[in-house]
Amino acid sequence: MPVDMKNVLADTFAEMVKQGNVDKITVKALIEECHISRQTFYYHFQDIMDVLEWFVRRATQSLAERSLEAADLRSALKIFISFSIESFPMLQKLMESQRRSQIERIMIEAVERYLSGLVLHRQPDLPIHYGDSEVLFRFNACGLVGVLLYYGGKPGLDQDRLAVQLEQILEGELSGWHGYSAAHNSELHSFS
């Protein structure tokens, strides 16, 4: 069976992240660790960020496939929560690197693709205007990534409770904004 060099490079990159400083991982260091030529590296990737982006997309795709097989949204969210806890040391190193903004963008875009795929998979006839869906998916992706990064490193995290809370937020049950908005509007009208 032939070696999938993209996977080898991505997996080696992930191991290097776990062991050291993300900002010090260079193409030269990666190809030396993999015992390959510079030409082989550039055949598969443009640069280190390309490796990172491919690694994140591959991980997100795997999570997406597993979560789409889940019985319900809560079970799907538990898969993401477990991944964020298991991967927290690496995610923390990535977030502490000089490439943080690029890494956040990659993660948010990957989760946004996942959420839009989830909606198409579970509710293909949902009547959402394209412009509205773009904002909806981006908002939820930013929130989900932020929450998973924040809570992923919390010792003793109640994963089931977090999954319930995220499910309620995504389904619009937990926000309480509807009540706030109505009360706020009536206060404004009373001052006019």
Side-chain angles (χ1 to χ4, degrees), residues 72-86:
D72 53 32
L73 179 58
R74 187 176 307 165
S75 300
L77 288 166
K78 284 182 186 179
I79 291 169
F80 275 90
I81 293 167
S82 294
F83 174 81
S84 68
I85 290 169
E86 292 164 13

Side-chain angles (χ1 to χ4, degrees), residues 6 11 14 28 38-39 49 53-54 59 65 67 82-83 89 100 122 127 137 145-146 154 157 172 177 184 189-190:
K6 283 187 103 158
D11 292 341
K28 182 179 183 213
R38 191 171 283 273
Q39 181 180 3
M49 284 307 297
E53 190 162 351
W54 192 84
E65 289 169 4
S67 69
S82 294
F83 174 81
R100 179 185 177 114
R122 297 202 187 246
F137 293 136
V145 167
K154 297 284 184 192
L157 175 68
W177 286 108
H184 185 67
H189 291 297
S190 68

Side-chain angles (χ1 to χ4, degrees), residues 58-187:
R58 182 184 69 170
T60 306
Q61 182 64 34
S62 172
L63 285 170
E65 289 169 4
R66 287 178 34 217
S67 69
L68 288 174
E69 294 171 3
D72 53 32
L73 179 58
R74 187 176 307 165
S75 300
L77 288 166
K78 284 182 186 179
I79 291 169
F80 275 90
I81 293 167
S82 294
F83 174 81
S84 68
I85 290 169
E86 292 164 13
S87 305
F88 187 76
M90 184 173 71
L91 292 171
Q92 185 176 26
K93 285 185 177 193
L94 291 170
M95 291 295 100
E96 292 171 352
S97 77
Q98 294 175 2
R99 297 181 172 120
R100 179 185 177 114
S101 64
Q102 294 165 302
I103 294 164
E104 283 179 337
R105 177 191 52 79
I106 292 166
M107 293 171 68
I108 290 168
E109 287 174 357
V111 172
E112 187 176 359
R113 278 192 304 278
Y114 162 73
L115 289 173
S116 64
L118 180 67
V119 168
L120 289 174
H121 177 75
R122 297 202 187 246
Q123 296 179 330
D125 299 329
L126 192 65
I128 299 177
H129 182 268
Y130 173 76
D132 294 338
S133 67
E134 182 180 355
V135 172
L136 178 67
F137 293 136
R138 176 56 56 113
F139 178 83
N140 283 297
C142 288
L144 192 54
V145 167
V147 166
L148 292 175
L149 288 173
Y150 181 80
Y151 287 103
K154 297 284 184 192
L157 175 68
D158 184 344
Q159 294 182 41
D160 292 327
R161 177 154 170 71
L162 182 58
V164 168
Q165 291 169 321
L166 290 172
E167 178 185 38
Q168 290 173 331
I169 289 168
L170 290 172
E171 291 181 346
E173 297 171 11
L174 188 64
S175 70
W177 286 108
H178 297 293
Y180 171 79
S181 179
H184 185 67
N185 282 339
S186 68
E187 287 174 14

